[in-house]
Amino acid sequence: MGRCSIQLVVGPAGSGKSTYCHTMQEHADNLAGTIQRRRLHVLNLDPAAEVFRYRCSLDVRELISVSEVMQELGLGPNGALVYSMEYVLEHVHDWLLDALEDFDDDETVLLDCPGQVELYTHVPIMKSIVETLKLSGYDGHLVTVFCVDASFLTADVTKFLSGSLLALSAMIALELPHVNVLTKADLLPRHEIESILSQSARELVSGQRQDYYYDDEDDDHNNKDYEQQSSNDYYHGYNVTNNLEYPNNAPSSSPFHVEDVLEGEEDNEQRSNNNDNEEQQVQQQQSSSQRRRNRREGLTNALCQLLEDYSMVSFLPLNIRDEDSIQHVLATVDHAIQFGEDLEVRAADGDDAIEEDEEENDDGDND
């Protein structure tokens, strides 16, 4: 038997990896009997998974599960997951590779992988599993499908940059053909997704900065109005000269004292000095804040330049309610590894039956 094609479905927790697998499996079921029919299988590689809707051809929880590790070894969720994946790595040959041998070269296997980032960065377990598959003859049959929540990217420009860098990090770590899929696109208006995907990173950041500075100027203007009003209220509410008692207006019970006037002038001078010190502190804070803002903008510009100069990160929206969108994503993933290019051309199931009847009729006529 030949080597099947393998999709490593990765992405952050809650990004829709299991939904992607279920959607592709349903789509393959709908193609049964047509010229585009294909056999697609899903293997669960997440020992912490609890519920999924797809038909599971192989479940890692039959080998080891996070709940069992937590109970027996007393580890936390993250520690138990790392331990479980290390155990899976030790049994790749006698568990995963043996199962993959049952699939032919015209079949596709989706590996529903765990979403913890440390498995791809701090502890390169997934990288080791990929290298083992490559050395076992699956090099050229592997493709990474990186899932990102559409609502996460469209919520804020900074989140869009974070998601893009996370996708780039996974691409570099796994060193495989890579397709970024924008999941849950059916939950957002189409114009929001098209708006953020049609702009470059610099344009998105520039637009956010304009909004930020506009809001910042409004805040400064409001603060100045508030300070001026507070200053007026302050001096109107507590005016030193109003509390001084002059000889001409002084009642007999409150004689005039020079010491009271001197103390009032000293208090006024002290308040003036305090106001000057407060203004200097505010100016220093604003200057320090501006310097930090300039440094952050410099880092953001460098990240935007990295994403744009190499053009390595792009997203493909997936609407699970649209068969054309599903087929487009599947065709893009197939194209990344040239799946099906070396397979024989086949007809639909009905066409095969018609061809067989025609051949039988031809044989009868010859007799």
Side-chain angles (χ1 to χ4, degrees):
M1 301 180 68
R3 299 296 185 187
C4 62
S5 65
I6 300 176
Q7 296 183 19
L8 271 78
V9 185
V10 302
S15 60
K17 299 183 295 296
S18 297
T19 302
Y20 170 87
C21 295
H22 176 254
T23 300
M24 292 302 168
Q25 191 176 67
E26 273 194 339
H27 181 68
D29 293 342
N30 294 334
L31 295 177
T34 67
I35 194 173
Q36 294 178 323
R37 67 184 183 277
R38 62 189 303 168
R39 289 178 290 178
L40 193 147
H41 311 275
V42 183
L43 277 60
N44 175 41
L45 206 62
D46 185 2
E50 296 181 357
V51 179
F52 39 75
R53 295 183 295 171
Y54 53 76
R55 299 185 307 275
C56 193
S57 300
L58 184 66
D59 193 348
V60 70
R61 295 176 301 177
E62 298 176 357
L63 178 67
I64 188 172
S65 66
V66 168
S67 59
E68 294 176 353
V69 174
M70 292 175 61
Q71 183 177 0
E72 295 180 6
L73 301 181
L75 298 176
N78 291 333
L81 178 61
V82 173
Y83 179 89
S84 300
M85 294 306 297
E86 290 177 345
Y87 186 84
V88 172
L89 180 60
E90 295 176 358
H91 295 79
V92 167
H93 290 279
D94 56 1
W95 178 74
L96 181 59
L97 291 177
D98 288 348
L100 293 177
E101 291 292 336
D102 296 335
F103 305 112
D104 207 347
D105 57 355
D106 62 343
E107 299 179 82
T108 301
V109 174
L110 275 62
L111 296 182
D112 188 5
C113 301
Q116 278 64 17
V117 179
E118 56 266 24
L119 298 177
Y120 305 87
T121 56
H122 302 80
V123 185
I125 296 178
M126 296 303 301
K127 170 67 174 178
S128 301
I129 293 177
V130 168
E131 291 297 328
T132 303
L133 292 173
K134 287 182 178 180
L135 295 175
S136 301
Y138 289 93
D139 191 13
H141 299 267
L142 294 165
V143 58
T144 300
V145 178
F146 189 85
C147 297
V148 183
D149 190 345
S151 60
F152 176 82
L153 293 189
T154 57
D156 189 2
V157 174
T158 56
K159 293 182 179 181
F160 179 85
L161 291 178
S162 300
S164 301
L165 293 176
L166 188 59
L168 183 61
S169 176
M171 184 190 308
I172 296 174
L174 297 178
E175 297 180 350
L176 291 175
H178 193 96
V179 177
N180 297 312
V181 176
L182 204 59
T183 59
K184 306 180 185 180
D186 54 300
L187 303 179
L188 295 174
R190 184 174 180 178
H191 65 87
E192 289 188 12
I193 299 177
E194 292 179 350
S195 175
I196 197 168
L197 293 182
S198 61
Q199 300 182 64
S200 64
R202 291 179 184 272
E203 293 173 344
L204 292 172
V205 173
S206 177
Q208 186 189 42
R209 285 176 182 166
Q210 291 177 0
D211 295 339
Y212 175 80
Y213 288 131
Y214 179 77
D215 295 338
D216 193 36
E217 291 175 358
D218 289 344
D219 292 340
D220 292 342
H221 180 71
N222 294 333
N223 290 336
K224 291 179 181 178
D225 292 343
Y226 175 76
E227 291 173 359
Q228 181 66 30
Q229 183 65 30
S230 299
S231 177
N232 295 335
D233 293 342
Y234 174 79
Y235 286 108
H236 290 161
Y238 181 75
N239 193 334
V240 176
T241 59
N242 290 338
N243 290 334
L244 293 179
E245 297 176 350
Y246 295 96
N248 296 333
N249 300 326
S252 59
S253 60
S254 302
F256 172 75
H257 298 287
V258 177
E259 291 81 359
D260 295 338
V261 177
L262 295 177
E263 290 178 359
E265 292 179 351
E266 291 177 357
D267 293 341
N268 191 16
E269 183 178 358
Q270 182 65 30
R271 282 191 294 272
S272 178
N273 293 333
N274 291 336
N275 291 336
D276 293 339
N277 293 333
E278 290 178 358
E279 290 180 359
Q280 291 178 359
Q281 292 178 357
V282 170
Q283 291 177 357
Q284 292 177 357
Q285 292 176 356
Q286 291 177 349
S287 177
S288 176
S289 176
Q290 183 63 37
R291 288 195 298 270
R292 291 194 299 269
R293 183 185 301 172
N294 291 338
R295 289 195 295 267
R296 290 195 298 268
E297 289 181 359
L299 176 61
T300 303
N301 289 332
L303 295 176
C304 293
Q305 184 176 359
L306 172 66
L307 295 174
E308 292 182 6
D309 289 351
Y310 295 94
S311 299
M312 298 181 66
V313 179
S314 61
F315 294 93
L316 198 63
L318 172 63
N319 185 348
I320 62 174
R321 305 180 187 279
D322 186 359
E323 288 292 330
D324 292 336
S325 175
I326 299 172
Q327 180 60 34
H328 179 58
V329 171
L330 184 58
T332 302
V333 176
D334 291 341
H335 179 71
I337 54 175
Q338 288 82 45
F339 172 78
E341 291 189 357
D342 55 347
L343 299 178
E344 296 181 359
V345 178
R346 60 189 179 188
D349 292 342
D351 295 338
D352 294 339
I354 294 174
E355 291 179 358
E356 291 178 359
D357 293 339
E358 291 179 350
E359 291 179 356
E360 292 179 356
N361 294 332
D362 292 340
D363 293 340
D365 293 340
N366 294 331
D367 294 339

